[in-house]
Amino acid sequence: MARKVVSRRNGGTRTGRGTGGRTTLPSGSSGLRLGNASFDPGGGDGSPGDELLQAVWETAPVAFCLTDARGQCVRTNAEWQRLSGLTDAESRGDGWVRCIHPEDIAGVLSQWGRAKRAGRVFVADFRILRPDGSVRWVRARASAIRNPSGKLIGYFGIDEDVTERRYDDEFRRMVLGVASELATASTLSEALPRLLEILAGGLGAALGEFWERDSLTDTLRVAHVWFSPSSRKLAGFVRHSEQLAIPLFDGMPGRVMSTGKPEWISDLGRNPNFFRRRAAVRAGLKSALAMPVSFHGRVIGVMAFLGHRSDPPDAEWMRLLHTLAGQISQFMECQHTSEALVRSEASLRRAQSLAHLGSYQTDLTLRGSTRWSGEVFYILGLNPRESHLSQEEFLSRIVHPADRLRVADAVTSAARRRQAFDLQFRIVRPDGTVRHVQNAGEPVLDGKRRLQGWVGTLWDVTERKELERGILEASEREQRRLGQDLHDGLGQRLTALELFSESLAADLRTAAPHLSESARQMSRELRKTLVQTRLLSHGLSPVPLEADGLMRALRELAAGIRSMARVRCEFEAPRSVALGDSTVTTHLYRIAQEAVNNALKHSGATRIRIRLNRGRRGLELEVGDDGRGLADSKRPEDGIGIRVMQFRAELIGASLELSSKPGRGTVVRCILRKLP
């Protein structure tokens, strides 16, 4: 590509052709040309162009260095002097080489030589060591300067301070690398080898170690190490380190462990407090940096980095290391919390399994999404890996058909009142097995008391129900036996005594008139005792064993209420109902008896109706009254009487429904779908 160069000094325009890494000066100029101005490295002629170039040279925020054809420095600007720490006089000749870091100088001069021989632009990143001992990173660029005839007359160099940029890039790379490793690792031990590699690479260290406490020997040992596997000298040093057991407060790791502060050693070979100094010298290691790793305010490990360089990390690097150590501590905190949570969840699952107790959480803000614990699926007879169960599916598929309406009404009522619920009902497993469960739920409310969801438990109470049923049936059998014994034993004896006393009173009327009245009084008392005995016998065994025993017992119940409570109580049975199971008939009678007693005690009713009918839904027992009913704010399921009736209904496989409105009475309905 042709490059146009305008020269005011020569009053004309000449065209020179630039080549790779080469600047061509116009005719008549022996110096450097920038724009319309030229500048002779040895000094100008005072023209306006020279003054402009001089101003740029001195004020530009970029370091300039000008050399002759041999690479000897002939001129530097103020920014170069500030960056290198050398004066212009100190930089001249080979003086500029003195500012290159000793560990980088060989590589820089080698690159410089290759660039000169190839005639290309020299570009390199390296460190400079200033007279005050501080280290800066620079990016240097230098290109050849040629006159119009193509003769090399010098080199023009530009040096940019890239220390902050390099640190920022390196810091960002290290932070992202550490975060990535911690995010994918399940334990610190799994992440440490890669973490040591990342941190050692950023520090320019040859080796990274992690020391931790051996609780058995109460010493410090190397738990993890990273180094370049190609270095045989480092491999020997690592083997030596892995055999050591350092006392807790000795050596570099021990001191950092005890003080909780970082430590820097610039010359390992001359430090008597570094136990491994001979092995370090053999491996070519010169310096070491150790950092504490803390957890809950206690140092639990030490990271150490050893390198071939002696320059210490600056304050920025130390702040970065503190930040990364904090990341590791946060990871350990999260891991500790996660492990504690896993242990807690495992204990909870074990406890739930032993108690047959599961838990769930429903989020109404996510369209009623429900999370069930594994034990819930076990209770329901489902495979948690193959089953997705919503609340709607739970009600329609799992809850027993006879209990669905009651469960739905109870949950809806609890949601409307923003209150907890506690229900017992039956479920049907996929294999047809019927189980009894107790479901307790608590509402989740936001700041405005709006319902957001539910948290609750599901408890398999089948065994408890079976035990309660056995106890209740045993109690009922014992009551029937006692009632029968009273009727057949004591009742018969009292009847005989009553007849004997009446006969005695008739005989005494003529033989001993003054004793006749006492005999009649004894006969009357025996009659009262006999009546009470028969009432007690009937209370203990109210349902006759005959097939129509339930109808007879309910009819007698209504008659007894009319005579004793002075309330109009009627029994209706559109058709004859015969039941052969005494347990079922007894529970149905007790449900009717409890419903009648509740109406007498709480409703203020003047009329009670007992109805027994075989309909489309099965056998229906209904007890209704014309009392005051129940207010919406009341929860009838909280009453002991309702719970007892519900319990008896569940024992015989029936469902219990209760409907009530203020001022319109209450109806209790028990439906037995499968007749015995």
Side-chain angles (χ1 to χ4, degrees):
M1 169 183 280
R3 181 180 299 158
K4 180 179 286 188
V5 182
V6 179
S7 174
R8 291 185 179 181
R9 179 184 298 180
N10 297 317
T13 300
R14 296 194 179 189
T15 300
R17 184 170 299 276
T19 61
R22 185 174 68 188
T23 300
T24 303
L25 293 181
S27 174
S29 174
S30 61
L32 173 67
R33 182 172 185 80
L34 295 175
N36 293 328
S38 62
F39 177 62
D40 186 343
D45 60 2
S47 66
D50 289 332
E51 294 177 359
L52 176 60
L53 186 57
Q54 181 70 29
V56 172
W57 180 270
E58 294 298 336
T59 61
V62 180
F64 293 147
C65 178
L66 199 62
T67 75
D68 60 17
R70 295 175 301 159
Q72 299 291 303
C73 177
V74 297
R75 192 77 179 269
T76 60
N77 71 342
E79 183 62 21
W80 161 264
Q81 296 159 27
R82 185 200 65 77
L83 177 60
S84 66
L86 302 176
T87 65
D88 182 67
E90 291 171 335
S91 302
R92 292 189 180 237
D94 290 332
W96 65 276
V97 178
R98 292 201 307 270
C99 72
I100 302 176
H101 196 286
E103 295 177 359
D104 296 346
I105 189 168
V108 173
L109 293 180
S110 176
Q111 286 182 267
W112 168 244
R114 288 195 299 271
K116 286 198 299 181
R117 289 190 296 271
R120 64 173 182 267
V121 175
F122 166 73
V123 179
D125 286 6
F126 54 88
R127 292 168 296 169
I128 61 174
L129 179 61
R130 299 198 287 197
D132 62 3
S134 61
V135 177
R136 305 294 292 179
W137 278 92
V138 298
R139 175 162 294 167
R141 298 179 180 85
S143 59
I145 306 172
R146 300 181 183 274
N147 62 18
S149 63
K151 180 181 178 181
L152 177 69
I153 63 172
Y155 294 92
F156 179 65
I158 300 176
D159 295 291
E160 179 186 2
D161 188 344
V162 295
T163 305
E164 282 73 22
R165 186 191 312 165
R166 189 178 180 91
Y167 279 1
D168 288 344
D169 292 343
E170 188 65 29
F171 289 178
R172 189 179 301 109
R173 184 190 68 81
M174 291 176 64
V175 170
L176 292 177
V178 170
S180 176
E181 289 301 318
L182 294 178
T184 56
S186 57
T187 64
L188 182 61
S189 296
E190 180 183 332
L192 270 173
R194 178 61 180 151
L195 294 180
L196 292 173
E197 180 182 0
I198 293 172
L199 297 178
L203 287 168
L207 181 145
E209 304 170 329
F210 184 79
W211 294 76
E212 65 181 8
R213 181 176 181 175
D214 185 339
S215 58
L216 295 178
T217 61
D218 216 22
T219 58
L220 292 176
R221 292 182 177 273
V222 174
H224 300 276
V225 64
W226 172 87
F227 69 99
S228 176
S230 61
S231 175
R232 294 182 179 180
K233 292 183 178 180
L234 289 180
F237 179 81
V238 169
R239 287 194 298 270
H240 173 73
S241 300
E242 290 175 338
Q243 295 172 359
L244 293 178
I246 299 178
L248 286 182
F249 304 107
D250 291 343
M252 189 181 196
R255 291 190 297 273
V256 174
M257 176 74 79
S258 61
T259 63
K261 297 179 180 179
E263 182 174 325
W264 162 257
I265 298 178
S266 59
D267 192 342
L268 298 177
R270 296 183 179 182
N271 193 306
N273 293 321
F274 191 76
F275 292 165
R276 300 173 288 165
R277 57 184 178 275
R278 292 182 180 177
V281 171
R282 288 195 299 270
L285 298 172
K286 296 181 179 180
S287 61
L289 172 67
M291 292 287 298
V293 176
S294 301
F295 178 61
H296 284 170
R298 181 174 62 88
V299 179
I300 54 95
V302 175
M303 290 189 298
F305 301 96
L306 295 85
H308 302 300
R309 300 173 179 173
S310 299
D311 48 305
D314 59 20
E316 291 294 330
W317 273 106
M318 294 305 297
R319 279 195 290 271
L320 173 65
L321 290 176
H322 277 295
T323 299
L324 297 179
Q327 278 188 292
I328 295 174
S329 297
Q330 290 177 2
F331 171 80
M332 296 176 65
E333 176 74 27
C334 294
Q335 182 187 22
H336 177 76
T337 303
S338 177
E339 290 175 351
L341 180 60
V342 169
R343 290 193 299 269
S344 176
E345 289 179 343
S347 298
L348 177 60
R349 287 194 298 271
R350 179 62 177 163
Q352 289 183 345
S353 176
L354 292 173
H356 299 296
L357 176 69
S359 58
Y360 63 89
Q361 181 177 1
T362 300
D363 190 344
L364 297 179
T365 64
L366 298 176
R367 298 182 179 180
S369 174
T370 302
R371 295 174 54 192
W372 310 87
S373 70
E375 186 62 21
V376 169
F377 287 98
Y378 175 78
I379 292 172
L380 303 182
L382 301 174
N383 186 339
R385 297 182 179 179
E386 301 175 358
S387 302
H388 174 74
L389 189 66
S390 66
Q391 285 287 354
E392 291 76 13
E393 291 172 324
F394 174 77
L395 184 63
S396 62
R397 287 176 44 201
I398 305 300
V399 177
H400 194 286
D403 297 341
R404 286 173 188 163
L405 181 60
R406 176 172 61 88
V407 172
D409 289 346
V411 174
T412 301
S413 177
R416 185 173 61 252
R417 295 191 303 267
R418 309 292 193 268
Q419 293 179 356
F421 63 84
D422 192 348
L423 301 170
Q424 289 188 13
F425 52 89
R426 291 161 296 172
I427 61 170
V428 182
R429 288 178 169 177
D431 61 1
T433 305
V434 177
R435 306 289 291 181
H436 293 264
V437 298
Q438 183 169 344
N439 183 7
E442 288 284 343
V444 177
L445 308 177
D446 62 10
K448 297 182 180 180
R449 287 192 55 78
R450 292 177 298 197
L451 185 64
Q452 302 297 299
W454 297 94
V455 292
T457 58
L458 193 73
W459 186 12
D460 188 339
V461 295
T462 305
E463 285 73 17
R464 191 185 74 185
K465 284 287 186 181
E466 293 297 330
L467 180 61
E468 291 173 348
R469 178 175 182 172
I471 293 173
L472 186 59
E473 290 180 352
S475 174
E476 293 287 355
R477 287 195 301 270
E478 187 63 18
Q479 287 185 20
R480 284 197 299 270
R481 187 188 65 79
L482 288 174
Q484 197 68 35
D485 289 347
L486 285 174
H487 181 272
D488 297 341
L490 182 59
Q492 297 300 326
R493 289 178 177 273
L494 289 174
T495 300
L497 286 174
E498 180 190 12
L499 294 175
F500 177 76
S501 64
E502 289 178 352
S503 176
L504 179 61
D507 293 341
L508 291 175
R509 191 177 299 118
T510 56
H514 63 285
L515 297 176
S516 176
E517 183 58 30
S518 298
R520 286 196 297 273
Q521 181 64 30
M522 182 176 63
S523 179
R524 286 193 293 272
E525 292 300 323
L526 284 172
R527 164 56 56 180
K528 292 180 182 179
T529 303
L530 180 59
V531 170
Q532 290 178 355
T533 301
R534 288 176 176 173
L535 289 174
L536 181 59
S537 173
H538 184 269
L540 291 172
S541 182
V543 183
L545 297 179
E546 292 81 2
D548 63 345
L550 178 61
M551 295 182 61
R552 291 167 52 190
L554 293 176
R555 190 175 288 111
E556 291 179 7
L557 175 63
I561 295 300
R562 287 196 301 271
S563 63
M564 291 187 297
R566 297 182 179 179
V567 172
R568 184 180 176 186
C569 186
E570 302 172 347
F571 171 70
E572 298 179 3
R575 59 175 68 111
S576 177
V577 176
L579 298 174
D581 191 325
S582 60
T583 300
V584 173
T585 57
T586 300
H587 283 304
L588 289 173
Y589 176 83
R590 295 297 187 190
I591 290 172
Q593 188 180 45
E594 182 66 34
V596 169
N597 288 336
N598 285 342
L600 292 174
K601 292 178 182 178
H602 307 299
S603 72
T606 60
R607 181 173 181 268
I608 299 174
R609 186 187 67 174
I610 305 172
R611 179 181 174 86
L612 184 66
N613 185 38
R614 189 190 299 265
R616 290 181 302 174
R617 296 197 295 174
L619 181 65
E620 294 187 15
L621 172 64
E622 181 180 292
V623 178
D625 64 66
D626 62 352
R628 64 177 64 94
L630 297 172
D632 290 338
S633 60
K634 286 194 174 184
R635 299 174 61 186
E637 61 269 22
D638 286 343
I640 296 297
I642 297 296
R643 290 192 174 188
V644 170
M645 288 189 287
Q646 181 65 49
F647 176 70
R648 289 184 177 276
E650 291 178 356
L651 288 181
I652 60 176
S655 61
L656 190 77
E657 300 174 359
L658 186 144
S659 59
S660 180
K661 292 185 179 180
R664 300 181 62 178
T666 302
V667 176
V668 176
R669 185 177 294 107
C670 180
I671 303 171
L672 181 65
R673 287 178 169 80
K674 293 179 64 176
L675 298 182

